Amino acid sequence: MPSDFDNAKFEAALQMALDKEKHDYPAVIGGMYVASGTDMPLVSPVDDTIIFGTLQEPEEGTTAVAAEKADEAFATWSKTSPAERASVISKVAEDVRTKRYQLAAELLLGTGMVRKEAVAEVDRLIEVLDKAAADAETVKGRPTGVWAVIALNSSPLASAVGYAAAAIAAGNTVVISPSGSCPTPVYTLYRMFENAGLPGGVMNIVSDRLDRYVTALSDDQNVSGVVASGCGKAMDELMFVPVDEGLGFVNEVKGMTPIIVANPSDMKKAAADVLESAFSYCGQHLYSTSKVIVLAEDERDFTKALVERAKDFSVDDPGEESAACGPLISDETEKRFLKFIKEEENFLLFGGKRVRKEYTSNGLYYTPAIFTGLDAEDDNLYVDQGLPVLCIRVVATVDDAIADLMETDCGLAVGVMSRDASTINRVKAEAGDMQVFVNRSSLSLVPAVKATVDNFVE
C-alpha cells in the first residue's frame, strides 16, 4: 500500500460509492448522451446485489457516428494552442488528485481489484496526466486525427483515460471503448474533462459489454490510430491492425508475462513474487504471469514453496484490508475459468475451488489454480487466457528455458528469478523491446507506459 494511503478516507469513499445514485451509461458522442434503448444492468463483481445502474448497449453503427463526430471536432481542437490543451489536462489531473479515493473505490467495486491495486491504478493515471500536461507545450510534430482507444479490463482507468489524455494533449480527438464490465470510472473522468472545459466531440465513449464493435471502430475510415490495451479475444483481433501502414498503432496487449526461475538466492521469496505476479487482480493485470519456467533442479523446492505460499493467499472481498485477490470480473470469465480447469484437471496441482466466506457468497470468488505437467504441445503453455491460472513448465537447462521463452506469447514483459548474473543478462538480451523484471514481482511494472504525447504526433 502507498505510504500516504489514508485508510479512513478510503473507507469513507467506499461507503459513498456504495450509496451512490444509480445512473444510465449510454454512449457519449459529440458531447451528447446517446441512448440505445437496450439496457444491461451494471452489476459489481464484488457482490451481485450492488448495481451501479444500466449500460446502454450501443446499436450497430454507433462507433461510426462517434468516429465521425470526433473527426469533425478534430478540425477545431487541432488548432487550439498547446497552452490551452495543457490547461485542460492539468485541471483534470488536479481533480483526480482530489478524488483519488473516490475513483479507487469505484474501481474496487467495478473490477474486484483489491485496495492497493485500485489506488495504484489511480496514481498511475495521475502520473500520465501530469506528463501529458507538461509535454503538451513542448512536443514537436502535428496531431494525426481521431484515435480509437480500446482499453478493456486489464487497466480500465490508467490506460483507457491515460492514452486518451496523451492523444488529446497532442491535439487529436478520441473515441474510447472502455471495459464493458467496468466502464463507470471512464464516465467519471469524462465529466471531469467536461468540467475542465474540453469541447464536445473531443472525447467520445462507446461502451460495449460484449466487445462486439471493437473491430468496427479500429477499421473505421475516420480513425487514424488505434491503442489496444488489455487481453481477450477482442485484443487478439486487434493485433492484425498494424498491417495498414497508414494507421498508427500502440500495442499494450497482455501476454503470458512468463517468469524464469533458475537458481534464485531465496526460493521462498521467488515463490512469493511469482504468486503475486500470477494472481493479483485475478490474472487480468497487464503484467499478470500465467507461466513459470523452472529448472528441473529447482522444481521440487520451488513447487513446495509456491503451494505453501498459495495456501495463505487470501481470496476475499477486495474491500477487506487483508485481501490479496478478489473475484472474477464476470460470468463469462467464470465460464472460461471452469472450462480451463475441466480440460486440465489431470494437471491441477492446487486451487480452482469456490471460496465461500461471510462476504464472498454473492460474487465469483475462486482460489487461484496452479497446474504442472501439461503436455509440451498444449496451447495453454504458450498462449495467455487472462485468467487466475499459473502453468509450471519444467526444463533441464537455462538454454532450454530461453528456447521455451521464445515459443511463448510473452506480451509486454518477462521476468527472471536468479542469483546468476549471466542468466539474468541472457534473458535481458533475448527480451528485445519487452520489459524485464528481476527478482521481484510484475506488480512493479505500470500500465500506459506508451501514453506519451510524442506517440500521437507525426
Side-chain angles (χ1 to χ4, degrees):
M1 195 68 71
S3 58
D4 64 341
F5 183 83
D6 188 314
N7 189 62
K9 288 183 179 180
F10 185 86
E11 292 285 355
L14 187 58
Q15 190 57 53
M16 286 178 62
L18 288 167
D19 294 338
K20 190 175 180 180
E21 183 180 353
K22 295 179 175 60
H23 291 281
D24 283 338
Y25 294 91
V28 182
I29 301 175
M32 304 292 290
Y33 289 87
V34 181
S36 68
T38 304
D39 297 342
M40 295 285 289
L42 269 178
V43 179
S44 171
V46 174
D47 185 319
D48 62 18
T49 66
I50 301 171
I51 300 175
F52 306 114
T54 57
L55 178 67
Q56 293 275 323
E57 286 286 289
E59 298 174 346
E60 187 173 355
T62 302
T63 56
V65 177
E68 182 180 355
K69 291 298 182 181
D71 186 53
E72 291 175 4
F74 175 73
T76 302
W77 181 250
S78 61
K79 294 180 174 62
T80 57
S81 69
E84 182 178 343
R85 297 177 213 151
S87 175
V88 170
I89 304 297
S90 293
K91 289 176 183 176
V92 175
E94 189 56 37
D95 203 3
V96 174
R97 282 190 184 85
T98 302
K99 296 181 173 66
R100 180 193 190 205
Y101 294 101
Q102 174 189 322
L103 284 166
E106 280 190 31
L107 279 166
L108 184 150
L109 292 174
T111 64
M113 288 181 177
V114 299
R115 293 179 179 213
K116 68 177 181 180
E117 294 163 351
V119 171
E121 181 82 355
V122 176
D123 288 347
R124 176 56 185 157
L125 175 60
I126 294 170
E127 292 175 351
V128 174
L129 290 171
D130 283 342
K131 182 166 178 54
D135 291 349
E137 299 194 63
T138 60
V139 69
K140 301 292 190 291
R142 297 177 301 170
T144 60
V146 179
W147 278 79
V149 179
I150 301 165
L152 306 182
N153 298 342
S154 296
S155 177
L157 182 63
S159 289
V161 179
Y163 279 110
I168 288 169
N172 301 288
T173 55
V174 299
V175 179
I176 304 177
S177 179
S179 165
S181 300
C182 178
T184 54
V186 172
Y187 283 87
T188 299
L189 261 295
Y190 175 80
R191 289 187 287 273
M192 291 182 182
F193 274 93
E194 197 174 40
N195 292 337
L198 189 71
V202 177
M203 178 184 287
N204 306 272
I205 305 172
V206 180
S207 183
D208 170 20
R209 175 68 65 89
L210 301 177
D211 304 329
R212 292 167 297 174
Y213 303 122
V214 164
T215 303
L217 177 58
S218 65
D219 290 344
D220 193 280
Q221 61 180 359
N222 285 312
V223 169
S224 64
V226 176
V227 175
S229 175
C231 60
K233 183 180 179 181
M235 290 294 109
D236 295 339
E237 293 174 355
L238 289 174
M239 290 303 292
F240 295 100
V241 167
V243 297
D244 182 350
E245 294 182 359
L247 191 68
F249 186 72
V250 176
N251 177 7
E252 195 178 61
V253 178
K254 180 187 177 330
M256 297 194 85
T257 316
I259 297 174
I260 292 176
V261 176
N263 301 312
S265 56
D266 185 335
M267 192 65 76
K268 290 184 178 180
K269 181 182 183 302
D273 286 341
V274 169
L275 195 75
E276 183 177 71
S277 299
F279 299 125
S280 295
Y281 189 28
C282 275
Q284 296 173 124
H285 192 276
L286 280 174
Y287 303 102
S288 289
T289 293
S290 51
K291 175 179 181 177
V292 57
I293 307 168
V294 186
L295 295 189
E297 63 193 83
D298 293 322
E299 177 190 8
R300 180 178 177 181
D301 290 343
F302 173 76
T303 302
K304 179 181 178 181
L306 185 69
V307 171
E308 286 301 313
R309 186 78 178 188
K311 290 177 181 177
D312 296 327
F313 195 76
S314 176
V315 178
D316 205 344
D317 182 324
E320 296 294 309
E321 290 185 69
S322 61
C325 179
L328 299 175
I329 197 168
S330 67
D331 292 339
E332 184 273 335
T333 305
E334 182 192 35
K335 289 177 183 177
R336 293 192 298 110
F337 181 63
L338 294 178
K339 182 174 182 287
F340 190 108
I341 291 174
K342 184 176 181 180
E343 290 176 349
E344 308 288 11
E345 61 184 346
N346 292 334
F347 308 104
L348 181 62
L349 178 66
F350 176 87
K353 306 297 182 184
R354 190 71 180 261
V355 175
R356 301 190 184 278
K357 298 180 181 178
E358 183 178 3
Y359 298 114
T360 65
S361 59
N362 294 324
L364 306 175
Y365 294 81
Y366 287 86
T367 52
I370 301 173
F371 298 85
T372 189
L374 273 69
D375 186 276
E377 302 302 315
D378 193 322
D379 285 346
N380 287 325
L381 278 175
Y382 306 100
V383 180
D384 182 65
Q385 304 298 328
L387 296 169
V389 299
L390 177 65
C391 297
I392 301 174
R393 173 84 165 121
V394 181
V395 297
T397 67
V398 172
D399 285 343
D400 294 332
I402 297 294
D404 194 81
L405 192 71
M406 295 301 101
E407 297 296 321
T408 302
D409 174 18
C410 298
L412 305 170
V414 298
V416 56
M417 309 291 176
S418 181
R419 62 174 177 268
D420 185 356
S422 63
T423 298
I424 294 169
N425 289 334
R426 286 195 61 191
V427 173
K428 288 181 177 180
E430 296 291 345
D433 294 334
M434 292 181 290
Q435 299 181 70
V436 179
F437 53 102
V438 179
N439 294 323
R440 56 196 173 103
S441 90
S442 64
L443 288 193
S444 57
L445 306 178
V446 297
V449 293
K450 298 176 184 176
T452 56
V453 176
D454 57 0
N455 279 328
F456 294 93
V457 294
E458 62 181 3

